[in-house]
Amino acid sequence: RRAAAAGAGAQRDATRCVGGRLRPAVERRSARLRRAEAALNRGEGLGRSRQSVGAAARRGELQHDLARDLMQLDVPGAVESVDETIGAIPQERESLRRHLVEPALAHWRACMQAARDTLGYGEWSDRCADALADYEPEYAPMHELRPAPAY
């Protein structure tokens, strides 16, 4: 009986956390991310250019900031069993981190491709390479091989 009561209490705490704090925070952050994406998309309407490098870098940073903030949330352990959205995410902390960071990595890879396509190497591509190197060692910058900035 005591274990059932403790389980019910944890479930209530988790439900309160998801409904009261977590879901609204994620929804607000997602709305801000969508607005930023819309602004970046307007700039990219000009076609492939050096601005594409900066836009992709900024997208990666926004996604990474979201992932970092989600990983720092203090969430009760029972949340995974209460909320389907969160329950769908892998439960191990490292795989959760990788799952959340993957959109940022995709944007940073796009940044590096845009830099190659446009020869738009500079501050933004450096930021992308440095960020990618934290997760994918093959992107570790080799400054002596990098072309000189074209700005």
Side-chain angles (χ1 to χ4, degrees):
R1 190 177 264 274
R2 214 178 257 172
Q11 181 127 0
R12 271 193 309 278
D13 290 347
T15 302
R16 234 177 288 146
C17 176
V18 169
R21 291 190 333 242
L22 184 59
R23 184 173 286 125
V26 170
E27 288 171 354
R28 280 191 308 275
R29 189 64 176 267
S30 295
R32 284 195 305 261
L33 189 59
R34 283 191 299 276
R35 286 192 301 273
E37 284 278 343
L40 290 167
N41 288 340
R42 286 191 297 274
E44 284 221 321
L46 304 172
R48 194 73 143 165
S49 67
R50 290 189 179 149
Q51 285 76 16
S52 301
V53 177
R58 191 65 191 117
R59 281 185 173 96
E61 289 173 352
L62 290 168
Q63 289 286 343
H64 189 263
D65 290 349
L66 175 63
R68 183 198 61 229
D69 292 349
L70 288 174
M71 287 301 296
Q72 291 175 352
L73 287 175
D74 183 27
V75 179
V79 166
E80 292 85 2
S81 64
V82 175
D83 187 272
E84 291 176 23
T85 305
I86 294 170
I89 297 173
Q91 300 308 307
E92 288 182 26
R93 212 60 174 156
E94 183 58 31
S95 62
L96 174 60
R97 183 181 67 82
R98 185 67 184 195
H99 173 80
L100 292 172
V101 168
E102 191 54 46
L105 297 176
H107 288 302
W108 288 328
R109 287 186 207 108
C111 167
M112 296 306 295
Q113 186 61 51
R116 281 189 289 277
D117 293 349
T118 64
L119 298 179
Y121 294 98
E123 176 190 350
W124 288 109
S125 62
D126 286 349
R127 289 165 77 166
C128 292
D130 291 342
L132 278 167
D134 289 341
Y135 296 94
E136 299 175 355
E138 63 270 19
Y139 278 97
M142 291 189 271
H143 296 284
E144 66 276 6
L145 300 177
R146 184 174 295 159
Y151 49 89

